[in-house]
Amino acid sequence: MGPTRAVPFHRGLFARRGFQKWAARFPLTRRLVRREGEALFDLLAGFCHAQVLMALVQLDLPARLLRRSESAATLAAATGVPPDRMQVLLNAAIALGLIRRARGRRYALTRRGAALAGVPGLQQMILHHDVLYRDLADPAAFFRGETTPELAGFWPYVFGGAVDPQVAATYSDLMAQSQLLVADDTLDAVTLRGVRHLMDVGGGTGAFLAEVAASHPALEMTLFDLPAVAPQARYRFAGAGCAGRVRILPGSFRDGPLPDGADAISLVRVLYDHSDETVTDLLAKCFAALPAGGRLIISEPMSGGARPNRAGDAYFALYTLAMGTGKARSADEIAAMCRAAGFTDLRFPRCRRPFVTRVVTAVKEDR
Ligand SMILES: C[S@@+](CC[C@H](N)C(=O)[O-])C[C@H]1O[C@@H](n2cnc3c(N)ncnc32)[C@H](O)[C@@H]1O
């Protein structure tokens, strides 16, 4: 047996109980020790925090408390939760900054709680986490790749098979609800000046194009998505008064070339669902479909790459791993794949909320 590798000095020190005890009292280190301890405890308790969030949403408390403040007894009676247990839940929600005590022994939402009630798609997102929870129940086995995650079944289209319209409606609704924030942030980050015709590939039920239509009245648009999904966009475009400007093309980007005619293509939350092989093929098809000078806009949550971030690397990376085929890629990885497809002028515009989406743009060079 070879010699055991020594634990680096300062890490070894921090791991020692005696040092922790001393450092927790010593004036120059006690703040650091407390901060580190709290951060570690927060990680340890994170799954309870998430379940408090889930319980609030399942019991519809954010919507109730958005309307008016309520007493614990009223909330208990309305939800079928015994009063003493409702009190535990309310205290937990107060501790997490979602609920506050209001006058007359009532409870109200904080600003964060109001955002939970009002941000489109957030509650649906939380509710569908029951699946991901089950998938992560044995995390070591999950990371070893020894489990069969359920989440893959929730998003059946990624495997390229036929999609049941009922199932498609469920996931399209979840996507459409959460699309509004993504659309806002994407449109803030990129300019469509000079674009004549935008094709949104994997555009779902049209939430992104409906937002684009509102701010770009002269733009022609095409929505391309699977036959079980794309036709649903009709209703949204009719409601948004832009049906005359949008062509809806049902099809699969796995099956043949993409339709041409657009001078810009957007891929919003599409790449991270798919394997490198599928993404390579899709980017090549985007390149082929665009004219010289055409633009590509990619918007989705991304990994931080060499500098991992909480949203991309401690959430979306696990989510896409559970889906089985997807992958949270960094902006640099996506840019490299775009270059390999022939695109140039790769840009990384700043996004307002990188935990919602990040953007990479590219151009098919005008030779
Ligand atoms: C995660 S959703 C994103 C939808 C929308 N862009 C958004 O951000 O809300 C991915 C979309 O890609 C579509 N999609 C998946 N595979 C596809 C394929 N092979 N051809 C066309 N669209 C596909 C799905 O139907 C779905 O609408």
Side-chain angles (χ1 to χ4, degrees), residues 155-161 163 168 171-172 174-180 182-183 200-208 223-230 249-255 258 266-274 278 282 299-300 323:
W155 301 107
Y157 60 78
V158 292
F159 294 109
V163 183
Y171 75 69
S172 292
L174 178 59
M175 276 294 126
Q177 292 285 337
S178 55
Q179 170 61 269
L180 300 174
V182 179
D200 194 26
V201 172
T205 55
F208 181 62
L223 179 131
F224 182 85
D225 205 302
L226 295 170
V229 178
L249 291 182
S252 168
F253 52 66
R254 290 170 186 272
D255 291 348
L258 288 174
S266 48
L267 294 165
V268 183
R269 299 194 294 182
V270 172
L271 302 188
Y272 72 167
D273 278 347
H274 299 280
T278 304
L282 173 56
S299 175
E300 62 183 35
M323 279 176 70

Side-chain angles (χ1 to χ4, degrees), residues 12-277:
L13 204 59
F14 264 85
R16 259 195 251 145
R17 185 168 165 248
F19 176 77
Q20 283 282 341
K21 199 170 159 186
W22 171 82
R25 293 190 182 129
F26 185 61
L28 292 181
T29 50
R30 67 183 172 210
R31 271 195 154 162
L32 172 72
V33 167
R34 186 183 161 145
R35 215 173 42 234
E36 283 299 312
E38 275 173 354
L40 197 55
F41 192 83
D42 245 25
L43 290 181
L44 166 163
F47 78 102
C48 288
H49 301 171
Q51 292 299 61
V52 167
L53 199 63
M54 174 73 93
L56 294 176
V57 176
Q58 283 179 335
L59 297 170
D60 205 24
L61 296 192
R64 281 190 80 95
L65 293 176
L66 191 63
R67 288 194 290 274
R68 60 178 171 274
S69 60
E70 305 253 34
S71 70
T74 310
L75 293 173
T79 54
V81 175
D84 53 335
R85 300 178 83 92
M86 175 54 74
Q87 195 58 62
V88 174
L89 177 60
L90 290 171
N91 287 347
I94 291 173
L96 296 178
L98 296 163
I99 285 179
R100 64 179 172 81
R101 287 203 172 81
R103 257 187 280 158
R105 300 171 70 86
R106 295 160 88 89
Y107 293 86
L109 294 178
T110 59
R111 272 201 301 256
R112 195 177 303 170
L116 169 64
V119 169
L122 192 53
Q123 295 192 60
Q124 286 94 326
M125 179 98 173
I126 291 166
L127 286 174
H128 98 296
H129 275 157
D130 56 343
V131 182
L132 184 56
Y133 258 73
R134 287 194 289 276
D135 287 347
L136 294 174
D138 182 346
F142 171 79
F143 280 107
R144 283 195 194 107
E146 294 168 353
T147 61
T148 309
E150 269 181 66
L151 203 61
F154 191 84
W155 301 107
Y157 60 78
V158 292
F159 294 109
V163 183
D164 176 74
Q166 190 60 44
V167 176
T170 310
Y171 75 69
S172 292
D173 187 45
L174 178 59
M175 276 294 126
Q177 292 285 337
S178 55
Q179 170 61 269
L180 300 174
L181 291 189
V182 179
D184 280 350
D185 287 10
T186 306
L187 291 173
D188 275 351
V190 299
T191 169
L192 294 177
R193 207 176 307 128
V195 174
R196 185 186 46 79
H197 184 159
L198 173 68
M199 173 162 69
D200 194 26
V201 172
T205 55
F208 181 62
L209 287 186
E211 288 294 302
V212 172
S215 49
H216 297 77
L219 197 68
E220 261 184 79
M221 291 167 286
T222 295
L223 179 131
F224 182 85
D225 205 302
L226 295 170
V229 178
Q232 299 172 43
R234 249 194 345 258
Y235 308 108
R236 184 186 308 279
F237 294 144
C242 61
R245 288 201 279 143
V246 197
R247 196 165 51 136
I248 298 177
L249 291 182
S252 168
F253 52 66
R254 290 170 186 272
D255 291 348
L258 288 174
D260 55 17
D263 56 349
I265 291 179
S266 48
L267 294 165
V268 183
R269 299 194 294 182
V270 172
L271 302 188
Y272 72 167
D273 278 347
H274 299 280
S275 66
D276 286 346
E277 199 187 5

